[in-house]
Amino acid sequence: MNDSDAGNNKFEMLQAINLTKKYEDGLTAVDALSFAVKQGEVYAMLGANGAGKTTTINLFLNLIEPTFGEAKINGITTHKNPLDAKKSIAFVSENVMLYQDFSAVQNLDFFSKLGGKSNYTKDDYKNVLLRVGLQEEAHNKKLKGFSKGMRQKCGIAIAILKDAPAILLDEPTSGLDPKAGLEFMTLLDELRSEGKSILMSTHDIFRAKEVADFVGIMKEGKLVMQKNRDQIKNENLEELYINYMSGYIDTAA
Ligand SMILES: Nc1ncnc2c1ncn2[C@@H]1O[C@H](COP(=O)(O)OP(=O)(O)OP(=O)(O)O)[C@@H](O)[C@H]1O
Ligand SMILES: [Mg+2]
């Protein structure tokens, strides 16, 4: 059995099945999207501004309802059973919404308890904040003085503490400095080896190629390309992306 066969036996933790969202103004932001993220896989979704990446994530989170099709988390259809589906998912948005008057540690404590995890200690909070690269002097400072990257690190820490089998990340590296971005890749590797299924939207083509087991490209709501690690290994992913965006590669078929 080769690696890809082994992968085929793994459970599909996140599934989009003909997932479609037409907004009230008539725009189809997500159009019959189908893909899956198995256990222990990282899926990076690329696509121009407005391609439908955040809408896809919002459908998984049941923040909006699909017009057609379904998003499944851990086998549960999100819009039919949102509360159960949410138990299996942790989410980090691009602009992490946390309590500004709470410190990093207080935010971690608040959101962990809210998620039903009440047995974490101060040391657990400290360790996870160090793991995501938040400097120790900031751990007990209020969030209102934090930069975007520092907030994102807190958001990622909260997601790790939730210990859900699936993690959704909307442009997780957009606020991170180059060193933090690099460290984030290591973190993704660790989470993958723990068996987490990770779906992230990103504009970072190079990091996507480096870290992802699958790379998808969305254009006008449709998945126009999906390739696995082996398939993109020797490709110029940036060129490929530009060709899809410019219409040099026909996606109408
Ligand atoms: N609530 C809404 N009502 C109407 N249209 C919306 C709504 N939210 C998003 N859209 C539209 O849906 C399309 C997809 O938006 P979405 O935010 O999913 O794109 P994206 O791929 O995440 O883009 P970006 O890379 O800029 O984050 C866009 O044309 C956007 O204007
Ligand atoms: Mg977006």
Side-chain angles (χ1 to χ4, degrees), residues 3 22 24 55 59 83 89 103 115 159 168 187 190 192 220 225 230 247:
D3 279 355
K22 192 172 181 173
E24 288 70 24
T55 303
L59 287 161
L83 292 179
I89 203 146
S103 70
L168 296 185
L187 190 64
E190 288 172 16
R192 175 196 0 239
E220 292 162 12
M225 188 210 86
D230 285 343

Side-chain angles (χ1 to χ4, degrees), residues 33-37 42-48 51-53 56 198-205 207-209 211-219 221-229 231-232 237 240-242 244-245 251:
L33 192 64
S34 294
F35 68 93
V37 190
V42 175
Y43 194 116
M45 192 64 89
L46 303 170
K53 303 179 297 298
T56 302
I198 299 164
L199 171 63
M200 65 169 187
S201 81
T202 183
H203 292 296
D204 191 335
I205 293 176
R207 291 258 157 78
K209 182 172 177 175
V211 76
D213 299 289
F214 284 90
V215 175
I217 298 178
M218 283 184 78
K219 185 180 181 184
K222 294 191 177 73
L223 188 65
V224 294
M225 188 210 86
Q226 176 180 283
K227 287 182 190 278
N228 67 25
R229 183 185 289 282
Q231 290 167 324
I232 51 170
L237 190 57
L240 199 60
Y241 176 87
I242 300 293
Y244 273 106
M245 290 304 129
T251 57

Side-chain angles (χ1 to χ4, degrees), residues 58-77:
N58 289 345
L59 287 161
F60 270 104
L61 295 169
N62 196 48
L63 296 175
I64 48 175
E65 282 226 355
T67 315
F68 187 73
E70 57 186 323
K72 284 185 169 190
I73 301 169
N74 206 356
I76 302 163
T77 300

Side-chain angles (χ1 to χ4, degrees), residues 23-25 27-30 47-56 58 64 94 170-171 201 203 218:
Y23 283 115
E24 288 70 24
D25 59 7
L27 178 93
T28 304
V30 171
N49 298 129
K53 303 179 297 298
T54 298
T55 303
T56 302
N58 289 345
I64 48 175
E94 192 198 347
D170 199 1
E171 299 192 32
S201 81
H203 292 296
M218 283 184 78

Side-chain angles (χ1 to χ4, degrees), residues 151-213:
R151 282 170 221 273
Q152 269 181 321
K153 287 173 180 175
C154 289
I156 295 164
I158 291 168
I160 291 173
L161 290 174
K162 184 162 179 193
D163 198 24
I167 304 174
L168 296 185
L169 303 156
D170 199 1
E171 299 192 32
T173 53
S174 65
L176 301 183
D177 64 58
K179 180 167 169 283
L182 195 63
E183 287 165 359
F184 182 71
M185 293 300 116
T186 311
L187 190 64
L188 282 186
D189 270 334
E190 288 172 16
L191 294 170
R192 175 196 0 239
S193 55
E194 288 169 19
K196 309 286 187 196
S197 305
I198 299 164
L199 171 63
M200 65 169 187
S201 81
T202 183
H203 292 296
D204 191 335
I205 293 176
F206 301 102
R207 291 258 157 78
K209 182 172 177 175
E210 208 176 301
V211 76
D213 299 289

